[in-house]
Amino acid sequence: FYTGASETMRLNSGGVLQIGSTSDLGAFKLQVTGDSDFVGIATHVAQSTTALTVARTGSTYALQVDTNTASSVTGLKITAAAAGAGLALSEIGGNTDENLTIDAKGAGTISLGATSTGSVLFAGGFGSTGCSISTSGALSCDSTATIGSSSSAVLSNASLTTATSFTVGNSSSALTLGGSSGNVVISSTTSSPT
């Protein structure tokens, strides 16, 4: 272990701790090899497409943080909580309102709740202010669920059940029941369904 006029810090020959940016230390700002524990607050400042990375080897990244946009002020905050209270991911940035975008790569899919057994909640979830999708695929909403402006809702080998009065169509749109084959069945628990 030594420091000097041409060294910032170095512990090598098996230990490999290199900190600095002198020519003797090459491009290393910090290199730690092996299992490491960091205790305390750590702040890393860098403008780069690979400002912070975790990789198995070389550039086979498992995690990559890109801070290269010159005017960037947004980021991701991870908030831990006590047992049973869950983990929170949220947007941080300079504006009151900031968007959060999640993308798969190429034609890859995005899975929510693919292995968990709880429902997926949107905007507060059903029973509060939004909608929920159960692991069986049931959609429940507290308010109106609108399917597109020119789309159709298709029920395949299933029935549509409503807890209250149900309205289809509006004053300017036609309602079409049935198709080229099959029956349309309207039923009620009363003797005279309406």
Side-chain angles (χ1 to χ4, degrees):
F1 178 88
Y2 59 91
T3 61
S6 60
E7 300 282 343
T8 302
M9 181 179 291
R10 173 179 285 178
L11 169 65
N12 215 320
S13 296
V16 192
L17 168 64
Q18 295 179 306
I19 303 174
S21 58
T22 66
S23 59
D24 288 342
L25 294 179
F28 294 117
K29 298 296 177 69
L30 171 65
Q31 174 176 310
V32 179
T33 301
D35 297 335
S36 304
D37 293 325
F38 294 90
V39 179
I41 298 174
T43 301
H44 179 70
V45 178
Q47 181 179 340
S48 171
T49 55
T50 55
L52 175 64
T53 61
V54 177
R56 179 178 58 83
T57 59
S59 59
T60 56
Y61 301 127
L63 173 68
Q64 184 182 79
V65 177
D66 183 349
T67 62
N68 200 46
T69 301
S71 59
S72 64
V73 294
T74 60
L76 178 67
K77 181 178 182 179
I78 303 175
T79 304
L87 175 74
L89 302 179
S90 59
E91 173 90 22
I92 53 177
N95 294 327
T96 301
D97 302 312
E98 295 286 1
N99 297 326
L100 178 63
T101 301
I102 300 175
D103 279 307
K105 184 175 182 180
T109 61
I110 297 175
S111 298
L112 298 176
T115 58
S116 58
T117 57
S119 297
V120 178
L121 311 183
F122 297 92
F126 177 66
S128 176
T129 58
C131 295
S132 299
I133 300 178
S134 70
T135 52
S136 62
L139 172 65
S140 303
C141 294
D142 286 293
S143 186
T144 303
T146 302
I147 304 176
S149 58
S150 58
S151 301
S152 55
V154 179
L155 299 177
S156 300
N157 300 319
S159 61
L160 176 63
T161 303
T162 63
T164 60
S165 299
F166 182 67
T167 302
V168 179
N170 55 44
S171 58
S172 60
S173 299
L175 171 61
T176 302
L177 298 176
S180 58
S181 62
N183 299 321
V184 176
V185 178
I186 300 177
S187 63
S188 173
T189 56
T190 65
S191 58
S192 302
T194 57

